[in-house]
Amino acid sequence: MRLRLVPKNTKWDFFDWSGVTLGASVLAVIASVVLAVLVGLNFGIDFRGGTMIRTESAQPIDIGDYRDAIAPLDLGDVTITEVFDPNFDADQNVALIRIQAQEGGESVSAELTEAVEAGLKTVAPDIRFVGVESVSPKVSGELIMTAVYAVLMAIAAVLVYIWLRFEWQFAVGAVAALVHDVVITIGVFSILQIRFDLAIIAALLTIVGYSLNDTVVVFDRVRENLRKYKKMDLKEVLNLSINETLSRTVMTSVTTLLALGSLYVLGGDVIRGFVFAMIMGVVIGTYSSVFVASVILLRLGVKRDWSKTDGGAGTQFANIDA
């Protein structure tokens, strides 16, 4: 007996509530931008500058005691969090200590790191530093701009690719879906105040690729059906195309989420933020391929006479393989 996540030969209408779904997406994007501006992101050491120390000891962690032990060093903004992981042993207690960049634009020096370790040994004699990462404020500022450019260049490249492969209406829908996915993912990070570092930027770029792949599969079938059913209404063509590719879309998303779910639970705290961003991206990207990209394509319309060449339509490269 074969497992089917989607019934065979579905004929669902994905555009009955297109106004509601598109409106909800627009509101979600606006809310995400407002949250990112007003609440802000919980930037990691990569973007804020400073030092992150990962400690480990057999003694249970008391964050208050840790904070009191290093308070005399007057290090400014210090954040201490206990790390929980199902893979840790019973006597493996891990904490992350984030210390802001010090005056003069420098991260915490080796001498101060030793002083922090000495102070913590007064409350946990067996404590040891298993990882120390430092980034200067100047470098962190450059990293922020580089990350922004990377995401914008990826989206711009997608715009050109889809325009050459299909038509400009397809390109607008695809890019709108990508912006939708990236902005809402950032908004969720702002709400939950999950640490935002370079690993999350890598996740955002991966989301762009994943969402694009899903959208191109749908658009390829749309283009094929537009040529096959020349007199069929565009809405019917889109519904037919989405239904025909729905099984592939759901299967791909579910198998990807199964792998990501395992990584989130068992992968440890080091990659948990990256995996969370990927999970958000897969869910939102699957949604946007149908309810954002396709809806925008329906609103913009598309050239139906595929037998004639239109040099301005951007279809002269439509047969380029993906």
Side-chain angles (χ1 to χ4, degrees):
M1 183 176 178
R2 296 175 61 186
L3 173 64
R4 281 193 176 277
L5 298 179
V6 176
K8 192 175 181 179
N9 299 323
T10 58
K11 295 182 179 179
W12 295 331
D13 188 347
F14 293 93
F15 299 95
D16 262 355
W17 296 87
S18 61
V20 175
T21 55
L22 186 60
S25 294
V26 171
L27 289 176
V29 169
I30 294 173
S32 297
V33 172
V34 171
L35 284 168
V37 172
L38 298 182
V39 178
L41 293 167
N42 179 22
F43 288 116
I45 296 300
D46 294 339
F47 293 140
R48 285 195 304 176
T51 299
M52 182 171 66
I53 302 172
R54 184 183 176 95
T55 71
E56 187 174 310
S57 70
Q59 184 174 327
I61 295 172
D62 187 317
I63 293 178
D65 289 344
Y66 276 33
R67 190 178 301 278
D68 292 340
I70 62 178
L73 299 176
D74 193 22
L75 297 176
D77 183 19
V78 177
T79 302
I80 303 173
T81 56
E82 184 174 0
V83 177
F84 298 96
D85 195 294
N87 296 320
F88 288 165
D89 297 330
D91 61 346
Q92 188 177 8
N93 299 286
V94 177
L96 284 179
I97 303 174
R98 298 182 179 89
I99 305 172
Q100 72 172 36
Q102 302 302 293
E103 292 184 8
E106 298 295 334
S107 55
V108 176
S109 63
E111 292 77 12
L112 276 178
T113 302
E114 293 174 359
V116 170
E117 184 176 9
L120 292 174
K121 282 184 179 294
T122 61
V123 295
D126 66 332
I127 197 169
R128 58 192 183 92
F129 288 3
V130 296
V132 179
E133 300 177 16
S134 296
V135 178
S136 72
K138 181 178 179 180
V139 172
S140 65
E142 294 173 353
L143 288 174
I144 291 176
M145 295 309 301
T146 301
V148 172
Y149 293 150
V151 175
L152 292 178
M153 288 176 65
I155 293 176
V158 168
L159 175 63
V160 175
Y161 168 75
I162 299 294
W163 194 336
L164 294 178
R165 183 169 172 79
F166 299 99
E167 290 188 71
W168 69 266
Q169 296 96 328
F170 290 84
V172 172
V175 170
L178 296 183
V179 173
H180 169 275
D181 301 343
V182 170
V183 172
I184 291 181
T185 301
I186 292 174
V188 172
F189 269 75
S190 179
I191 294 173
L192 301 180
Q193 286 295 291
I194 300 173
R195 183 158 52 94
F196 195 92
D197 52 23
L198 283 177
I200 308 306
I201 297 299
L204 293 178
L205 292 174
T206 307
I207 290 168
V208 168
Y210 182 93
S211 180
L212 173 63
N213 177 68
D214 203 25
T215 303
V216 166
V217 168
V218 176
F219 281 179
D220 248 341
R221 186 58 60 89
V222 170
R223 184 177 63 178
E224 178 183 330
N225 285 333
L226 282 171
R227 288 170 170 161
K228 187 176 181 181
Y229 305 102
K230 295 182 182 294
K231 295 184 179 180
M232 183 181 288
D233 184 71
L234 179 58
K235 177 181 176 181
E236 295 178 13
V237 172
L238 287 169
N239 265 322
L240 175 64
S241 303
I242 295 170
N243 277 287
E244 288 178 344
T245 57
L246 188 60
S247 178
R248 177 264 177 204
T249 298
V250 173
M251 184 64 73
T252 302
S253 298
V254 169
T255 52
T256 305
L257 288 173
L258 286 174
L260 291 173
S262 300
L263 281 174
Y264 187 81
V265 174
L266 303 174
D269 65 286
V270 176
I271 65 170
R272 191 158 288 150
F274 173 86
V275 175
F276 178 79
M278 284 297 302
I279 291 173
M280 288 294 306
V282 169
V283 173
I284 299 172
T286 303
Y287 169 89
S288 68
S289 295
V290 176
F291 295 105
V292 177
S294 297
V295 171
I296 289 177
L297 180 59
L298 176 62
R299 298 293 178 96
L300 293 176
V302 66
K303 178 175 69 69
R304 298 303 302 272
D305 187 1
W306 294 84
S307 62
K308 296 180 180 179
T309 302
D310 182 359
T315 56
Q316 61 269 38
F317 300 101
N319 293 321
I320 297 175
D321 291 332

